């Protein structure tokens, strides 16, 4: 990148903000933003996904259908990347619209599992194999998770821990002393689930 070690160089424009950014392979860096009114558009709506190329320093927008705001992510053993959860569908001003918003064309992302297989420059980028798979009707979490944690396990599985049931920055919607706050998701689950359900995590519950 930079001509001199320890220095910076202009890498161009990512077109979307990097709320999540990861190295896909030796050629590409992938970027996920939250749903918002970005100037860059794709398929008639603001973009919140992109891929940046090391060699050309050019960015290509990518279609992502659900709201990735505060999703968690992790590399999978086969080289793919998964982004888990996120926020509900939002519209102008960041107001929640539930499961779908017709202005930004975003779906509720709180149970989403998005899978990407990183491609190289010689691959067919028009193929679905090089695009984000983002369809909660086919693949989804068992619980809504905003701001969850994703941790890789030795057996290649991913454990999804905690989070909130929706955006809001607090785990109690109303003042109370209940051990399990109504806005918190004090459980964990696995990806792939392989028949395993959701387990309460006492560490996250007030004694």
């Amino acid at each position: 990148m930079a001509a001199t070690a320890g220095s910076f160089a202009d890498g161009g424009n990512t077109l979307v903000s990097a709320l999540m950014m990861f190295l896909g392979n030796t050629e590409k860096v992938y970027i996920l933003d939250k749903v918002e009114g970005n100037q860059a558009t794709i398929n008639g709506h603001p973009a919140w996904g992109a891929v940046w190329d090391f060699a050309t320093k050019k960015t290509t927008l990518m279609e992502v259908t659900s709201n990735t705001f505060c999703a968690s992510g992790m590399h999978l053993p086969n080289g793919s990347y998964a982004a888990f959860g996120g926020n509900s569908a939002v519209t102008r001003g960041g107001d929640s619209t539930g499961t779908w918003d017709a202005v930004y064309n975003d779906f509720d992302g709180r149970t989403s599992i998005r899978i990407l297989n990183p491609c190289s420059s010689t691959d067919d980028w028009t193929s679905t194999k090089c695009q984000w798979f983002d369809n909660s009707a086919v693949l989804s979490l068992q619980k809504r998770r905003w701001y969850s944690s994703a941790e890789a396990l030795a057996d290649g599985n991913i454990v999804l821990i905690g989070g909130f049931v929706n955006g809001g920055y607090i785990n109690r919607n109303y003042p109370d002393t209940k051990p399990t706050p109504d806005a918190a998701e004090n459980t964990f689950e696995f990806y792939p689930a392989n028949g395993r359900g959701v387990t309460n995590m006492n560490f996250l519950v007030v004694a």
Side-chain angles (χ1 to χ4, degrees):
M1 288 296 297
T4 305
S7 64
F8 289 93
D10 185 354
N13 190 330
T14 62
L15 301 180
V16 299
S17 297
L19 269 68
M20 183 182 292
M21 181 168 63
F22 61 93
L23 181 66
N25 50 40
T26 58
E27 297 181 10
K28 308 289 184 181
V29 173
Y30 290 85
I31 302 161
L32 289 174
D33 193 358
K34 64 179 180 179
V35 174
E36 57 184 339
N38 287 325
Q39 182 177 8
T41 60
I42 183 170
N43 297 330
H45 65 82
W48 57 92
V51 56
W52 179 86
D53 186 271
F54 275 103
T56 65
K57 300 182 177 61
K58 300 295 184 181
T59 301
T60 303
L61 297 174
M62 299 189 73
E63 177 71 287
V64 183
T65 60
S66 63
N67 191 352
T68 50
F69 183 36
C70 294
S72 56
M74 183 57 62
H75 292 277
L76 302 179
N78 67 350
S80 298
Y81 190 87
F84 303 96
N87 203 6
S88 60
V90 297
T91 190
R92 292 189 180 97
D95 294 330
S96 174
T97 58
T99 59
W100 161 256
D101 176 64
V103 176
Y104 288 162
N105 286 15
D106 64 303
F107 286 93
D108 185 348
R110 290 174 293 176
T111 62
S112 294
I113 300 177
R114 311 164 194 86
I115 305 294
L116 178 81
N117 297 309
C119 285
S120 65
S121 299
T122 57
D123 290 319
D124 178 9
W125 282 76
T126 64
S127 169
T128 56
K129 294 180 179 180
C130 292
Q131 304 300 314
W132 282 99
F133 179 83
D134 186 5
N135 185 345
S136 291
V138 177
L139 183 65
S140 65
L141 296 168
Q142 299 174 67
K143 291 290 187 177
R144 295 177 294 174
R145 298 188 187 275
W146 180 77
Y147 254 125
S148 65
S149 296
E151 294 294 334
L153 303 178
D155 61 3
N157 290 300
I158 308 296
V159 59
L160 288 308
I161 302 172
F164 301 81
V165 298
N166 52 258
Y169 305 101
I170 57 173
N171 63 4
R172 295 180 187 273
N173 290 330
Y174 307 98
D176 61 55
T177 57
K178 293 186 297 184
T180 305
D182 51 8
E185 185 50 67
N186 296 324
T187 64
F188 66 89
E189 62 183 280
F190 296 97
Y191 175 78
N194 290 334
R196 293 171 291 188
V198 174
T199 303
N200 290 325
M201 193 169 192
N202 291 331
F203 177 78
L204 298 176
V205 178
V206 177

